[in-house]
Amino acid sequence: MFPGLENLMMPWIGKTMKHIDLFIATKLSEKGIDLTRQQVILLKTLFHDGPLPQHDLAFLTDRDKTSLTRLLSTMEKKNLVARITSSEDKRVNLVHLTKHGEKVVNETMPALFETIMQMQEGISEKEQDVVINVMKKIQDNIEKRIDSCSNNK
């Protein structure tokens, strides 16, 4: 259809992300950890920065309001998080990590780290630095375009 697409980075990045998601899910499942990548990201964010207002959490995890609400409902059923109304502003829900959620984070992070190290096996520090710098440049290029689009409105 479009000759040369296999020589562009974006299809490779997309395919790699799909492989990463599947590999992480498989490795966590093998260790008896029943979490999706999105749940791990949310738990890690709350562990380091929480409790957080729900709208801040949506921004930090790059999720829209509806999908975050669904994700939080699922995680509440698993007793990983709790939404508690802020004492300072009754319109704001603060998302807290439960004690069980903290335990799950502490059990999950070593397995996640091991999985990441497996994915990076055979890749030198220099190669990792190159990839990180390229990803930063792509993000900068995207942010510049988004900013210029916003300024043109």
Side-chain angles (χ1 to χ4, degrees):
M1 185 188 305
F2 293 102
L5 274 180
E6 66 278 355
N7 296 321
L8 298 175
M9 287 188 299
M10 295 312 119
W12 286 101
I13 292 170
K15 282 171 45 175
T16 302
M17 275 311 303
K18 287 179 183 176
H19 281 83
I20 289 170
D21 285 350
L22 181 59
F23 189 68
I24 289 173
T26 301
K27 289 298 180 180
L28 292 180
S29 178
E30 284 174 2
K31 302 236 182 230
I33 299 169
D34 180 28
L35 295 174
T36 65
R37 181 177 60 89
Q38 293 81 12
Q39 291 170 346
V40 171
I41 291 168
L42 196 113
L43 289 173
K44 187 176 140 305
T45 302
L46 287 173
F47 187 78
H48 291 291
D49 303 322
L52 291 168
Q54 195 165 324
H55 58 81
D56 289 1
L57 195 55
F59 176 77
L60 288 172
T61 59
D62 197 29
R63 300 191 67 83
D64 64 67
K65 199 173 169 182
T66 304
S67 67
L68 178 67
T69 300
R70 253 191 327 267
L71 180 62
L72 290 173
S73 293
T74 300
M75 293 177 74
E76 279 179 320
K77 288 175 188 165
K78 292 182 172 187
N79 190 29
L80 298 169
V81 300
R83 285 180 272 196
I84 300 171
T85 304
S86 169
S87 57
E88 294 150 15
D89 186 345
K90 300 294 180 201
R91 297 169 297 171
V92 174
N93 279 327
L94 292 174
V95 182
H96 294 255
L97 207 53
T98 63
K99 291 287 182 201
H100 177 66
E102 286 178 28
K103 180 179 176 252
V104 169
V105 169
N106 286 321
E107 291 169 354
T108 302
M109 287 306 122
L112 186 61
F113 183 76
E114 178 185 324
T115 302
I116 290 168
M117 296 313 292
Q118 289 173 350
M119 287 187 283
Q120 293 183 180
E121 203 171 283
I123 303 171
S124 71
E125 275 189 51
K126 185 177 178 183
E127 289 171 318
Q128 290 179 46
D129 288 342
V130 169
V131 170
I132 290 167
N133 286 325
V134 168
M135 293 296 117
K136 285 179 180 178
K137 286 179 182 178
I138 291 171
Q139 290 174 16
D140 288 346
N141 287 340
I142 292 168
E143 287 174 17
K144 284 178 199 169
R145 292 340 181 263
I146 290 172
D147 290 345
S148 71
C149 288
S150 298
N151 292 335
N152 289 336
K153 288 184 178 179

